[in-house]
Amino acid sequence: MERAPEPSRTTALVRREPERRGLLGRLRSAMEKWTLQLGGREMEERLARLVAPQNEYGVDPFGLDLEFTKAAVAPALWLYKNWFRVQTHGIERVPAGKVLLVANHSGQLPLDAAMIGVSMIAEAEPPRVCRAMVEKWAPTLPFVAPFFARIGQVVGTPENCRRLLMGGETIMVFPEGTRGLNKTFDKRYQLQDFGIGFMRLALETRTPIVPVAVIGAEEQAPALLDFKAGARALGFPALPITPTLLPLPLPVKYHLHFGEPMRFVGNPDDEDSELERRVREVKMQIQTMMDRGLVERGGLFF
Amino acid sequence: MRDVVLVTGISGNLGRALARQLHRTERVAGLDRRPFEGRPKDLSMHQLDIRKRKVEDVFRKGEIKALIHLGIMHDPRLPQTEHHSFNVLGTKAVLEYAAKYGVSKVVVLSSTNVYGPRPDNDNFLTEDAPLLGSQNFPEIRDLIEIDMYAQQYMWKHPEVETVIVRPVHIVGPTVKNASANYLRVKRPWVMAGFDPMVQLIHEEDACRALAMALKPGLRGVYNVVGPGEVPLSAVLRELGRQPVPVPHLLARPLLDKLFQYRLAGFPPPELDHLQYLCTVDGSRAERDLGFRPAYTMRETIRSVLGEAPPRVVRSATEGAAAAGTID
């Protein structure tokens, strides 16, 4: 195997695995079948078109395992089709090659990220495994850490993001971070403060930004309050209190609105204020799309 | 005439592997307090502790053109003071002699452990990443000190071409470091719910990188990566191991006790390597040294079993020459 420091997209992947053994192996095979059952013939073709540079142990340099991802996507795909009945608008605007998807973040559990991820496999052209820049908290969580790594999610350091963009990957960022994810119900559809790191990277790597408005997730798990002291004690980023206690998602209908790619040019080392101006442009675009999406949608659940 | 390459720590497993590779094309001298059994006939040996004054005599003759410093001690059982005095003072001494007696090239072996396994690490740490390895593992402070000292030395003595080589976990049929020993355990501990990507390099490949660092004109810090990165679980599966998952919150206090009562050979902070990433970007070495591993991932992993076939590798100078033509 040649070492590839930058992911190169040359190896096509249609790997037929031998019969898997053991409980976990059988579970994986069953999940993979479930994915195909949910997605049908079209899904099979799309999955076959996913590419990632792989070594003889089936992973790319970041630890993404496509075979594992195909199995792991099943429950998310089920939510996508049957629970949230996700409807995408303008997904054809997402260009091939490197791109930053910038979206609003909400819903207590990052299911909005999962749904955008599924849409990139199930509907985007070409189909691709989208990488989210995850919280630095995630790698400390047992089982979550390797799960995220195998499905291609990467710790959100600027260096990781830069490297992936240089490799022509699709990256999903939520500039609100946990401020958005864990906000309380009274703040729904109000964008929280945006980080500006993504803009620096977009300028540096000349990556188009596609604004994404997620409608529905904001109501999936209404949080009455964020129990901050409890969160601190447990070492969590937030501890939302919802009527169901656990932040289980309601079967709201999701709409994903993809905007026209925004291309920015400028000096990535500019002062923050200079970058903030451009970030505000993206933020306003998302807010506009969100407002329009709210007017257009039929109802919360249908 | 200046044509000798002096290798410190030559009697260690890595040192011997390096000597075997190097002596075919270079005049090699060794410096080690341990005897070098079965050394090549053309290799002159100075059996000395590197802290001793007599070491200066080795340099004084003015035959040495290059120094490869591997003479670093790594025994978790030895007291910290002994480590510090041997590793740090020893390194300072030989590097000072090198500058004083006109050695034109100094290659210092460090390792990627200086970065330390951490949850918020970049997936591919570059040579500029901060050296935080001792934050959770104070016992390796001296290794970081050596690396930092060598960096300082690079600035202080611009006339000496200094190269710091930071290879990933070195494994192989002969090396007996923590990572190779871990992979030889039949039922190794793993941290339940963690499966970090790891990078391994074959001892012969690591030696080739050290030899390539002798390339004239080359200076700087280089991460040296083997044939890529794999999940730890895949490595253990390849070796047919039966890993024992231990909850990470329990593992540390447990290993602490086991280590204290000498029932385990691994110091507890090593557990971080089973939990978090400490993987690096080796593209700088690939570009400047022209280094590419000769062993595949599978061969590298299986080498700890001692069954990997010896491979004809390009000799050091050929490698360096080839690298020269790439530029």
Side-chain angles (χ1 to χ4, degrees), chain A:
Chain A
M1 183 218 132
E2 281 285 330
R3 184 183 140 66
E6 303 290 349
S8 61
R9 304 197 145 264
T10 44
T11 352
L13 176 105
V14 191
R15 201 159 55 104
R16 277 276 152 252
E17 283 268 311
E19 190 78 22
R20 290 204 189 83
R21 303 230 176 92
L23 194 63
L24 282 174
R26 279 215 298 276
L27 179 69
R28 222 167 111 175
S29 299
M31 298 269 282
E32 227 176 276
K33 241 177 249 153
W34 191 19
T35 304
L36 294 177
Q37 207 182 345
L38 283 166
R41 174 122 217 120
E42 199 204 334
M43 194 62 174
E44 202 171 339
E45 279 165 18
R46 289 186 146 265
L47 288 178
R49 282 170 62 203
L50 290 178
V51 285
Q54 281 194 308
N55 63 20
E56 66 240 71
Y57 295 93
V59 292
D60 86 340
F62 282 85
L64 163 64
D65 181 337
L66 272 186
E67 294 302 315
F68 181 89
T69 304
K70 287 174 189 175
V73 80
L77 189 58
W78 183 84
L79 286 174
Y80 190 88
K81 297 234 172 210
N82 301 322
W83 192 258
F84 296 129
R85 294 145 291 132
V86 178
Q87 200 172 338
T88 59
H89 307 266
I91 198 165
E92 69 283 351
R93 296 193 181 117
V94 181
K98 67 180 172 192
V99 58
L100 273 166
L101 305 178
V102 180
N104 56 315
H105 207 14
S106 61
Q108 311 310 332
L109 292 178
L111 292 167
D112 45 0
M115 292 307 111
I116 295 175
V118 172
S119 78
M120 287 295 119
I121 295 178
E123 299 190 36
E125 193 54 47
R128 57 193 108 180
V129 175
C130 176
R131 316 235 193 197
M133 299 277 102
V134 304
E135 269 292 302
K136 289 178 184 174
W137 184 48
T140 65
L141 301 174
F143 303 101
V144 173
F147 176 77
F148 274 6
R150 291 308 157 267
I151 61 171
Q153 310 307 296
V154 170
V155 181
T157 67
E159 179 57 28
N160 279 345
C161 190
R162 187 175 299 123
R163 203 172 276 272
L164 288 165
L165 287 175
M166 299 293 217
E169 304 239 6
T170 301
I171 311 279
M172 170 176 13
V173 282
F174 297 98
E176 295 170 277
T178 51
R179 289 187 296 276
L181 183 67
N182 302 118
K183 63 180 179 282
T184 47
F185 193 59
D186 56 306
K187 300 207 185 76
R188 64 190 180 278
Y189 298 111
Q190 296 167 24
L191 290 173
Q192 306 298 300
D193 276 345
F194 267 39
I196 60 168
F198 77 92
M199 185 54 74
R200 239 179 251 290
L201 287 160
L203 292 175
E204 195 184 317
T205 57
R206 295 167 180 274
T207 304
I209 290 174
V210 171
V212 183
V214 183
I215 309 287
E218 307 256 352
E219 288 113 340
Q220 76 185 20
L224 305 175
L225 63 105
D226 182 3
F227 184 34
K228 290 211 170 64
R232 258 200 305 279
L234 290 166
F236 292 4
L239 189 61
I241 308 295
T242 58
T244 51
L245 286 180
L246 285 175
L248 295 174
L250 299 169
V252 291
K253 185 166 175 66
Y254 263 51
H255 293 269
L256 304 181
H257 294 269
F258 296 86
E260 286 295 342
M262 306 171 81
R263 288 166 216 275
F264 293 91
V265 278
N267 178 6
D269 295 322
D270 260 343
E271 280 174 40
D272 282 5
S273 59
E274 196 48 39
L275 289 164
E276 271 159 14
R277 195 173 50 78
R278 298 192 178 91
V279 169
R280 259 199 307 279
E281 239 176 277
V282 178
K283 190 174 171 181
M284 257 153 66
Q285 184 60 31
I286 296 171
Q287 187 71 58
T288 313
M289 285 160 58
M290 228 158 54
D291 295 344
R292 200 185 316 131
L294 278 172
V295 173
E296 281 170 9
R297 80 165 167 185
L300 178 52
F301 295 103
F302 296 100

Side-chain angles (χ1 to χ4, degrees), chain B residues 67-253:
Chain B
L67 165 71
I68 302 183
H69 180 51
L70 317 176
I72 288 160
M73 192 167 63
H74 233 338
D75 183 350
R77 293 285 178 202
L78 280 174
Q80 193 62 93
T81 45
E82 174 69 4
H83 263 128
H84 187 269
S85 116
F86 188 88
N87 289 344
V88 179
L89 301 183
T91 300
K92 281 187 180 173
V94 286
L95 262 59
E96 287 306 331
Y97 296 145
K100 189 169 166 190
Y101 294 102
V103 176
S104 55
K105 170 75 88 179
V106 169
V107 180
V108 178
L109 176 69
S110 180
S111 88
T112 55
N113 286 340
V114 293
Y115 304 116
R118 301 167 62 80
D120 54 351
N121 268 352
D122 291 328
N123 281 53
F124 297 95
L125 296 164
T126 59
E127 287 83 353
D128 311 321
L131 311 187
L132 302 173
S134 66
Q135 231 170 41
N136 295 321
F137 196 176
E139 289 75 21
I140 66 161
R141 217 167 31 219
D142 50 335
L143 304 185
I144 290 165
E145 218 173 302
I146 290 168
D147 191 298
M148 304 268 232
Y149 176 75
Q151 291 184 51
Q152 230 182 72
Y153 178 86
M154 198 182 293
W155 294 110
K156 216 163 76 186
H157 296 286
E159 76 282 7
V160 185
E161 288 173 11
T162 308
V163 183
I164 301 170
V165 177
R166 294 182 188 149
V168 298
H169 300 299
I170 301 174
V171 296
T174 70
V175 291
K176 294 194 177 64
N177 56 19
S179 31
N181 287 344
Y182 171 76
L183 295 179
R184 290 192 184 102
V185 177
K186 288 270 180 297
R187 301 179 64 86
W189 282 18
V190 291
M191 298 297 98
F194 289 95
D195 187 13
M197 299 294 280
V198 293
Q199 292 169 320
L200 306 173
I201 187 169
H202 193 283
E203 55 185 49
E204 297 282 346
D205 277 334
C207 290
R208 270 184 340 107
L210 286 166
M212 282 175 167
L214 295 175
K215 180 177 138 181
L218 187 88
R219 62 174 81 227
V221 188
Y222 292 96
N223 291 335
V224 174
V225 176
E229 30 293 313
V230 273
L232 177 63
S233 61
V235 176
L236 297 176
R237 211 175 311 125
E238 178 68 53
L239 293 168
R241 303 292 182 231
Q242 292 161 299
V244 183
V246 184
H248 66 286
L249 295 173
L250 220 75
R252 209 175 253 264

